[in-house]
Structure formats: C-alpha cells, structure tokens
Amino acid sequence: MNERRRPAVHQVLATLGYGDAIGHEVLGIQRVLRAAGYASDIFVETADPRLEPQTRDYRELVDASHPDNLLLHHFSIGSKASRTAYALPDRMALIYHNITPPEYFAAVHRTLARQCFRGRREIHAYVDRCDLALGDSEFNRQDLEQLGFPRTAVLPVVPDLEHLDNPADWFVAQQFDDEWTNIVFVGRVIANKKIEDLIHAFHAYHTRFNPRSRLIIVGVFSVFERYFAALTHLTQELHLTNVHFTGHVTDAELIAYYELADLFLCASEHEGFCVPLVEAFYKQIPVLAYAATAVPSTMDGAGVLYHDKHPLHVASLMDAILSDPDLQDAIVDQQLAAVDRLQAKDFDGTLLRFVDGMLTAPRQGAARVAFDFWHQFGAFEALEEIRVVRPSAYKALPDEPGL
C-alpha cells in the first residue's frame, strides 16, 4: 500500500536580495520548514548572484506544482513569478510585505512607480485565491484586511541579530571615529525614506545646537540616481559639508557604523516593519523616529517617536537626547527590553501552526485563469529562450505580431 504523499511547502517571490529583511525572512522560513521535514524550495524571478545557488527559476514551479502543495507567496510588487504562482492548482498563503504607494516614486523612478501601482492593483486578485493572508507586522495585517482579505494573521518578523555581534570593519568608518556627534540612518536611499527630511532636521541641529556633528546615511543609493542627485543638491544648497552617503556596505562595515553612532534618526513615511530600527535597539543606540505606518508597532513603546516634522522641532528632540546621558541610558534600557520581547516570539512554532492548519483545512481558494494561459506561458518560455541564447535574433523580432 502506497504511503500518502506529504505535501511540499515552497516559497515564491519576485526577487531574493542579499542581506535585506525579506531575504533573511525567506531563508529563515526555508530553514524552519526543512527542519520540520517539508520539502521546501525558493522559486524566484531574479536573485542576487550570491544567493542564486539557493533558488530555482520560477518557471520550474510549474513542474514542481501539485494540488496538495502549499505555496507561500511573498508579495511586494507584481511580477511574472507572482502571476505564474496564481495560476497553479497549489494551495496558497500570501505573505505581505506591503507595497510603497507609487506617488513616492513618480518623479524619481517611473519604472518602480509603475511596478508599485500594478502591485497595488494586482493584489486584489488574491483575495479569493489564498487560504490565508499573513502580514509580517500588525500594520501590514490591517492593510490586508482593508484590501478585503477575509482571513488574516501576523507572521512576526524576528530578525536574526547575531551577525551584529561579529567584529567590525573599521577601514571605511574610522574617519568618523572621533569626538564629533554621529547621527546615523540605515536604509536604502529611496524616496519613501524621506532622506531630505533627515537632512533638513540635521541642518537645524548642526546650525542651532552642535556644529561638531555629522549625518551618515548608510545604504545603497545607486538604483535611485535622480533622487540621490536631488539630495546632494540639497546638501549643497544648505552648505552642509558633513552629510555622508556610504553606499552599499558589508555586514562588518555596518557594525562599525552602528558602533560609532550616537543617535539613530529616522524620518521614513512608509514602512512595513523597518528592521534597522530593531538593529539600532540591539546595538544600544538611542532611536528617534517619525511615527508613521509600521514604525510605532515595530518600536513597541521604546525609543522616541515624533509626530511633527518641522526641522527645528526634530532638532530640539535630538539635542534633548544627545545632551542628557541619563536619558540616553533610559531610552536604551527600554529598547533592549523591546528586543527581548521580540526575540521571545515563537516564529518557528507560529509558522508551522499556520502551515499545518492550512494543509489540513478545507481549501479556500482556486485559481481562475484565462483558457489559453498555459499556451501563452509556453510561448513566453520559447521567446525567453531566444532572448538568452540568441540575443541578436531576439532583437530582430518585430515589436508587434504581424509587423
């Protein structure tokens, strides 16, 4: 007698990045699932070259598909991987990382603005397709509820912070290891992070309270050249010579920047979670952050939140914290307690309870796709093969059929 086949639990997402919050979560989920005995692969459209060996091309998901399987679909923007997963007969759970409102990118990155717009539109199709929709924060869960998903829950982000205990690489950061006050922000240089608001607040602090201070922006800026150009122009207009953009850093370099920071300042207006806030907590840096979207729930009553973005108001708060060592100690103590609460959450058990519950419950969703979807999918695969193997022939193809 044949034993009943155990379902596989695969993950699918548009891209797997190296060192970012979603990438860490995806790899952590795979570790938990495999340890529990599930076959579990990661199917992507693109991946950082350092992670490609740990992934499979999303088109291979068609062959791996089975009606009893469960797909954990990480949704952040619309993609071909997303639409392929939608059309398969597998059960599906959505893991929602939020989609930045496209208006943040309209003037600085039109392609990303279109992707975010399409993502916000496309996600509505999954309301009836998913057995469960999981937000990685309470803010994201509430967003799913507002989008119409009937079954929602929180799969908490529990960042792995052990890498922050490794030795720091001071080769780059040592130029800032002096008696000056270092205001640090960690995150991509992207419009929703409102780096311009950081610069204005720092300008007020630097000119009104502490001329021996600098602002260090730690994060990639190469993808958003127009936005970065506007920021550098702003620093020139304000005659600021002590604003520094590091670009991409290694983990060891990041640790160095955290260790020289006197204050972590955040002005972001749209976050689904914001892992650097927790990293700053862990590294015992007082955090001052704008109270928007998921930031208050991520900070969990610790750190200092502000609601008024007027530069002088923010600068006054910065000075109040930085000029009072006892206040800094009290803030850090609260932040460490928040980290303890976060790390006490049972991510592994929560994930497995959700997975086991979905695999044993009656199916909730079924894909509804056009009759010729798989014919079109096959045609796309053939075209993609020509693009990769015979690029000159691909370029010679007409833009539209029949031309």
Side-chain angles (χ1 to χ4, degrees):
M1 183 176 179
N2 293 331
E3 290 187 10
R4 187 168 181 265
R5 174 188 179 276
R6 188 175 195 192
V9 184
H10 298 307
Q11 297 180 83
V12 59
L13 64 159
T15 185
L16 185 64
Y18 181 84
D20 64 17
I22 295 176
H24 281 307
E25 182 177 16
V26 169
L27 294 172
I29 288 173
Q30 184 186 56
R31 172 186 56 79
V32 173
L33 292 171
R34 287 183 169 178
Y38 288 104
S40 184
D41 289 330
I42 300 168
F43 294 86
V44 300
E45 202 168 316
T46 60
D48 184 283
R50 289 166 289 188
L51 295 176
E52 281 183 352
Q54 300 179 56
T55 67
R56 297 174 63 180
D57 187 282
Y58 76 96
R59 287 166 290 183
E60 296 178 33
L61 189 56
V62 176
D63 294 326
S65 172
H66 190 281
D68 292 336
N69 286 353
L70 173 62
L71 297 180
L72 301 181
H73 178 202
H74 295 266
F75 197 99
S76 55
I77 57 174
S79 66
K80 293 188 286 289
S82 175
R83 290 185 282 276
T84 301
Y86 178 91
L88 295 171
D90 309 47
R91 296 172 182 263
M92 179 180 288
L94 199 74
I95 300 179
Y96 180 56
H97 301 282
N98 213 292
I99 303 169
T100 304
E103 52 264 30
Y104 281 108
F105 308 121
V108 294
H109 200 296
R110 292 180 181 175
T111 299
L112 185 56
R114 284 195 297 270
Q115 289 175 330
C116 290
F117 173 78
R118 290 170 181 167
R120 295 292 295 188
R121 183 179 61 185
E122 186 174 308
I123 194 171
H124 289 279
Y126 291 85
V127 169
D128 297 323
R129 172 69 177 89
C130 296
D131 294 74
L132 182 64
L134 298 168
D136 54 10
S137 67
E138 175 59 22
F139 173 78
N140 286 348
R141 189 204 67 77
Q142 291 177 9
D143 201 15
L144 287 167
E145 205 169 58
Q146 292 170 3
L147 287 165
F149 286 87
R151 296 166 297 279
T152 64
V154 174
L155 179 65
V157 174
V158 183
D160 181 2
L161 302 172
E162 290 183 358
H163 67 286
L164 297 177
D165 294 327
N166 293 326
D169 181 351
W170 287 95
F171 181 76
V172 175
Q174 63 186 351
Q175 61 182 310
F176 306 125
D177 187 20
D178 52 25
E179 298 302 315
W180 283 45
T181 299
N182 292 313
I183 314 299
V184 171
F185 171 75
V186 175
R188 288 188 301 168
V189 178
I190 188 171
N192 59 293
K193 306 289 185 182
K194 301 301 288 185
I195 307 299
E196 62 270 34
D197 292 346
L198 291 179
I199 293 171
H200 281 297
F202 171 73
H203 176 255
Y205 174 76
H206 183 74
T207 55
R208 297 290 188 98
F209 297 100
N210 183 3
R212 290 170 60 83
S213 58
R214 61 173 67 92
L215 175 64
I216 306 172
I217 311 295
V218 183
V220 175
F221 57 76
S222 57
V223 181
F224 306 96
E225 291 89 352
R226 294 176 66 182
Y227 182 54
F228 178 64
L231 295 174
T232 54
H233 179 69
L234 175 61
T235 62
Q236 293 165 3
E237 279 190 329
L238 296 175
H239 306 290
L240 285 172
T241 58
N242 291 309
V243 176
H244 304 270
F245 293 88
T246 70
H248 174 77
V249 298
T250 65
D251 278 351
E253 290 167 343
L254 174 63
I255 293 166
Y257 284 113
Y258 275 136
E259 291 184 356
L260 59 75
D262 297 294
L263 179 74
F264 187 101
L265 181 64
C266 177
S268 180
E269 291 184 350
H270 191 272
E271 295 289 342
F273 184 82
C274 196
V275 168
L277 293 174
V278 179
E279 293 181 338
F281 281 14
Y282 184 74
K283 296 301 288 183
Q284 302 185 43
I285 308 161
V287 172
L288 176 61
Y290 183 56
T293 55
V295 169
S297 61
T298 298
M299 291 176 65
D300 190 23
V304 179
L305 293 168
Y306 64 94
H307 300 268
D308 179 357
K309 273 200 169 185
H310 191 283
L312 189 55
H313 172 70
V314 180
S316 298
L317 293 174
M318 294 166 64
D319 181 62
I321 295 169
L322 288 164
S323 61
D324 188 339
D326 290 337
L327 177 58
Q328 293 174 41
D329 290 343
I331 291 171
V332 166
D333 287 345
Q334 290 181 339
Q335 292 177 174
L336 290 174
V339 172
D340 289 341
R341 291 193 296 273
L342 179 61
Q343 292 184 322
K345 293 182 178 179
D346 183 10
F347 175 82
D348 296 13
T350 302
L351 171 65
L352 292 174
R353 282 193 295 273
F354 285 142
V355 167
D356 293 343
M358 283 182 282
L359 289 174
T360 57
R363 292 185 65 117
Q364 300 294 330
R368 294 191 296 271
V369 297
F371 73 95
D372 63 344
F373 178 88
W374 293 111
H375 173 75
Q376 295 292 338
F377 184 89
F380 167 77
E381 280 194 307
L383 192 62
E384 184 69 1
E385 183 178 357
I386 295 173
R387 185 187 71 81
V388 173
V389 179
R390 301 175 60 197
S392 58
Y394 179 82
K395 290 178 181 178
L397 292 172
D399 292 333
E400 296 291 343
L403 294 181

